[in-house]
Amino acid sequence: MNIGERIVDLRSENGMTRVQLAEKLGIPMTTLRNYEIGTREPGHKFILDVAHVFNVTTDYLLGMTDEPKRNIAAQNLSISKAEMEGIKKYRALDEHGKELVELVLDKELERVKASEDTECSFDRTDFRISEQPAAAGNGVYLGPESFYTVMVRSDALPRNAAFGVPVSGDSMEPKFHDGDILIVSTEKPERGEVGIYTMDGLGYVKVRGNNELISLNPAYSPIPMTEGLICNGKVIGVLDQNDVKN
């Protein structure tokens, strides 16, 4: 089993979506997808970060062993130096001091919980996101069959939002970046507007021209439209990951 398959299995075992894991790792969701399907080779930092998130050894991730080796010693590695110092200080207190610390902790936990409850009071709505990115570059396959659903703050989505599509590549810089989740409506873009297109089996996010698809990055040449061009919708925004419910 390769590292991509290991990560997919670990995500499934822990009930974690690709978006959630990418957020924990601090990388674009499309980058994680490429690691999982094997189109991109992960570096040492990524492997170490994944091992830390799932509390497994790097040997397990690399397929060198089938034993994850989750143990107490490994779990202790997740305690920061500041936390360890706090524990030492707490143990050095007398009973009165410990009671005061616990009182403050209880009050702070109540405050944090109240803040979380307020955040959760916002209306949420299901939002479908394509597993397959639209290329801001040379095109990738974009089909209708692979979507996953996330919960998004209702007030964060435009009224006519239909679905989301990840960006892959840099040809729409500086407006759209690799890893952005574009919010798409079912409207057809007019000339000069950005749309999501399928052409010759490949997916694109481009500006609609007269008879060509245009990149915002001048390093990329316009792509002539073919007879089989399909417009999947108009780009009407970018999804803020802070509006996605984990």
Side-chain angles (χ1 to χ4, degrees):
M1 181 176 288
N2 61 40
I3 185 170
E5 293 168 332
R6 287 286 197 206
I7 295 171
V8 172
D9 284 352
L10 286 167
R11 279 201 299 103
S12 178
E13 290 172 11
N14 288 272
M16 189 180 295
T17 66
R18 185 178 286 160
V19 170
Q20 290 170 334
L21 179 56
E23 188 174 20
K24 279 183 175 291
L25 296 171
I27 61 174
M29 186 273 292
T30 49
T31 299
L32 175 59
R33 175 183 178 274
N34 290 336
Y35 288 150
E36 289 186 350
I37 66 177
T39 58
R40 185 170 177 177
E41 193 72 37
H44 295 299
K45 183 180 184 303
F46 172 81
I47 296 171
L48 290 171
D49 288 346
V50 172
H52 178 74
V53 168
F54 292 115
N55 192 24
V56 296
T57 65
T58 55
D59 283 351
Y60 178 74
L61 281 178
L62 295 170
M64 299 171 66
T65 176
D66 290 327
E67 175 53 55
K69 295 184 180 178
R70 296 182 177 92
N71 53 47
I72 299 300
Q75 291 174 8
N76 286 338
L77 294 175
S78 64
I79 300 176
S80 69
K81 183 178 180 180
E83 289 169 332
M84 289 299 296
E85 288 298 319
I87 292 172
K88 290 178 182 178
K89 291 176 182 178
Y90 175 82
R91 289 175 176 172
L93 296 174
D94 58 18
E95 290 304 313
H96 177 69
K98 289 178 180 178
E99 287 179 7
L100 287 176
V101 170
E102 289 166 3
L103 178 63
V104 172
L105 286 173
D106 289 341
K107 289 296 183 183
E108 282 300 291
L109 284 172
E110 288 178 10
R111 180 184 63 81
V112 171
K113 186 177 185 306
S115 176
E116 290 175 347
D117 289 343
T118 299
E119 173 66 20
C120 291
S121 67
F122 289 106
D123 290 336
R124 303 277 177 167
T125 187
D126 289 345
F127 187 60
R128 296 188 313 139
I129 299 177
S130 172
E131 285 274 8
Q132 303 162 61
N138 299 321
V140 294
Y141 173 69
L142 179 65
E145 70 275 10
S146 298
F147 283 84
Y148 64 94
T149 301
V150 296
M151 295 293 291
V152 179
R153 281 180 53 154
S154 299
D155 60 359
L157 291 173
R159 180 179 54 82
N160 52 347
F163 59 93
V165 176
V167 174
S168 175
D170 65 352
S171 78
M172 293 302 282
E173 297 276 3
K175 187 170 184 178
F176 303 120
H177 313 287
D178 182 50
D180 282 350
I181 304 295
L182 303 182
I183 302 173
V184 183
S185 75
T186 55
E187 301 169 281
K188 303 300 181 186
E190 301 291 336
R191 189 184 312 163
E193 294 181 325
V194 179
I196 301 294
Y197 300 94
T198 304
M199 188 169 64
D200 299 328
L202 300 178
Y204 300 89
V205 50
K206 298 292 178 190
V207 176
R208 186 182 185 95
N210 287 325
N211 294 298
E212 57 191 9
L213 300 179
I214 303 169
S215 301
L216 295 178
N217 186 337
Y220 292 82
S221 301
I223 302 172
M225 296 181 183
T226 63
E227 189 174 326
L229 176 75
I230 298 172
C231 179
N232 300 293
K234 182 170 75 172
V235 175
I236 56 175
V238 177
L239 183 64
D240 188 333
Q241 291 294 339
N242 293 324
D243 293 323
V244 178
K245 182 179 180 181
N246 294 324

